[in-house]
Amino acid sequence: MKALMITRDTQLHAEVAAQGTARMPPLQLSAGRDGLRDAVERVVPEPPQLVIVDASEVAPAEAELLERLARMYPGAAFMLLTDGHQQELMIRAMRAGMREVLALPLQHKAFHEAMDRIDVQAGVTQQRDGKVLAFLSCKGGSGATFISTNFGYALATLAEKKVLLIDLHGQFGDAALYVSDQKPAMTLADVCQQIARVDGAFLASCLVHVSPGFGVLAAADDPTLALDMTAEHMDTILRVARQHYDYIVLDVGRQIDPMSLRALDGANAIYPVLQLALPDIRDGRRLLDIFRSLGYPNERVHLIVNRYEKGGKLRLADLEHALGAEVVHAVPNDYISATDSVNQGVPALLLSRTSAVARSMAELVERVTARRLSEHKGLFGRLFGRGDAEL
């Protein structure tokens, strides 16, 4: 969307431009004018789709210029930025058809909410509307971090998706170490401290880039900094991430705090990970009870069994009956491959394409993406180099 920005404030112009580039598709400030009179006297050759007016310095006598501007660009949406002390100006603006009035200093959340409404009215479609997938352990040591990191890599590699993994562990998060030997330059806590800067480019610069399509935002390495992270920070990060990534994978950990809870609220699917052992089942029941008390529908919650071995005394059907939830996937007990992967910091798929755990990650990608690639190449064809494989 192309916009005309009317302001004398270069800092405000730069702020709006930065927030515009964080959107998908981006908001482009294609023209600028120093004030209302300048805008009226110098018509933009290509009519803008949006006109943003900084009204903080508009004199009462200039109010009629707003009405003239609205007549000049009848097909454009208008956004009025005001300091709140210009009642007459706002009334005339509303009469001229300007419905989006935002207070200064600019609140980024309010700006994006207004832009969302304008996009809907203009029929602008989002190029990406990333899905959020949350993985969490029912019990410590269940393997949620291993599965989430390896699944994220497989999703980016096999399905050719743009994937972001966010490590939400409040303390001792080490998701990046499972798939990379790079030291994170920035962490989730650093991003939250600079939340006003968050856009697509800034977010990408903070990641450990495991592959061209897969990046990891590392957990806070200082527990004291994690205390300053808020649910509102999570809202902003997920909003930007959804616009720039096909999938956002969350390694939630076991803690239920305001930030992780907001992340779970925004998740399209939640994957509790557990093993077929009574302590895991007990903790899994408690976790699912919490989800039900929060109003999460059963169809959003999908169990994953890790280190599964056929022929044990406990069966998958027993687990489903005990917890009242469906097991959507079982990761086989491939101890050697998994341990080699973790110890080397290399994704299992990259380390050994023929291992049982690599096959399992491919199967999970097939399930999550609803086999969208089967019409081109089967995932196992990609996995084993058989381009003509059919699934």
Side-chain angles (χ1 to χ4, degrees):
M1 177 178 287
K2 294 184 177 180
L4 165 63
M5 179 80 185
I6 303 172
T7 183
R8 297 184 180 90
D9 188 338
T10 57
Q11 184 174 351
L12 177 62
H13 187 283
E15 184 179 11
V16 172
Q19 292 302 310
T21 58
R23 299 188 60 79
M24 188 63 69
L27 172 68
Q28 178 185 355
L29 300 187
S30 57
R33 297 292 184 264
D34 289 337
L36 281 176
R37 190 164 299 280
D38 184 28
V40 168
E41 292 175 352
R42 290 197 297 147
V43 179
V44 178
E46 183 180 350
Q49 298 166 284
L50 171 64
V51 179
I52 304 175
V53 181
D54 174 12
S56 59
E57 297 183 6
V58 174
E62 295 182 303
E64 60 91 16
L65 296 177
L66 280 176
E67 297 171 348
R68 290 174 58 183
L69 196 65
R71 292 194 295 270
M72 288 171 57
Y73 304 115
F78 280 78
M79 181 184 294
L80 196 69
L81 308 180
T82 174
D83 58 14
H85 301 292
Q86 301 156 296
Q87 296 299 323
E88 181 180 350
L89 180 68
M90 287 190 286
I91 291 173
R92 295 191 68 164
M94 299 294 280
R95 287 174 178 169
M98 302 180 186
R99 294 292 178 260
E100 299 295 344
V101 179
L102 304 182
L104 291 173
L106 189 64
Q107 299 295 315
H108 296 168
K109 182 179 180 181
F111 172 77
H112 287 286
E113 289 174 347
M115 283 303 308
D116 289 342
R117 292 189 291 269
I118 291 170
D119 282 347
V120 170
Q121 294 169 2
V124 175
T125 58
Q126 299 290 329
Q127 292 183 9
R128 278 194 175 94
D129 183 17
K131 294 182 179 180
V132 179
L133 312 177
F135 291 76
L136 69 167
S137 291
C138 293
K139 186 180 181 300
S142 295
T145 297
F146 176 82
I147 291 175
S148 63
T149 51
N150 279 271
F151 166 74
Y153 178 82
L155 184 59
T157 303
L158 299 179
E160 297 180 343
K161 300 297 183 181
K162 192 174 181 184
V163 181
L164 166 65
L165 185 140
I166 303 177
D167 189 346
L168 288 176
H169 285 257
Q171 296 182 6
F172 312 116
D174 54 4
L177 295 178
Y178 277 64
V179 286
S180 174
D181 60 358
Q182 302 174 48
K183 180 177 175 57
M186 301 277 279
T187 69
L188 178 59
D190 296 320
V191 173
C192 291
Q193 287 185 323
Q194 304 179 64
I195 199 67
R197 294 183 55 195
V198 173
D199 57 23
F202 177 75
L203 189 58
S205 71
C206 299
L207 307 182
V208 171
H209 292 279
V210 180
S211 70
F214 180 45
V216 177
L217 180 57
D221 54 4
D222 185 344
T224 60
L225 295 178
L227 297 176
D228 296 327
M229 300 188 303
T230 68
E232 289 70 26
H233 292 155
M234 194 74 252
D235 283 337
T236 299
I237 293 169
L238 287 181
R239 175 181 53 74
V240 174
R242 282 181 183 272
Q243 294 170 353
H244 292 273
Y245 295 87
D246 298 306
Y247 288 91
I248 301 95
V249 178
L250 305 177
D251 181 17
V252 179
R254 295 194 68 211
Q255 77 282 359
I256 301 295
D257 56 28
M259 194 168 188
S260 63
L261 188 59
R262 187 64 60 88
L264 291 170
D265 287 344
N268 297 92
I270 301 172
Y271 296 93
V273 178
L274 72 166
Q275 299 179 41
L276 276 182
L278 289 178
D280 289 65
I281 295 173
R282 180 196 61 192
D283 286 1
R285 182 183 295 113
R286 291 174 177 173
L287 185 62
L288 294 184
D289 286 343
I290 292 174
F291 290 163
R292 290 171 184 132
S293 69
L294 292 170
Y296 296 168
N298 289 337
E299 55 268 24
R300 280 179 59 199
V301 181
H302 313 283
L303 298 177
I304 293 180
V305 173
N306 192 24
R307 300 171 188 164
Y308 173 65
E309 292 184 347
K310 294 182 179 179
K313 292 184 178 180
L314 290 175
R315 301 172 302 166
L316 296 180
D318 298 327
L319 177 64
E320 291 180 331
H321 178 74
L323 299 185
E326 179 189 8
V327 174
V328 298
H329 190 64
V331 180
N333 185 17
D334 188 0
Y335 179 79
I336 294 177
S337 297
T339 302
D340 287 346
S341 171
V342 173
N343 287 340
Q344 296 181 47
V346 177
L349 180 66
L350 183 60
L351 191 64
S352 175
R353 286 178 169 246
T354 59
S355 67
V357 71
R359 290 172 177 263
S360 180
M361 291 301 104
E363 291 170 357
L364 185 56
V365 170
E366 284 280 351
R367 175 176 290 277
V368 169
T369 59
R371 300 170 62 111
R372 292 174 186 169
L373 294 181
S374 60
E375 60 189 50
H376 303 295
K377 286 185 179 181
L379 288 185
F380 284 102
R382 293 177 183 273
L383 187 60
F384 300 113
R386 298 195 302 270
D388 58 349
E390 294 292 337
L391 291 179

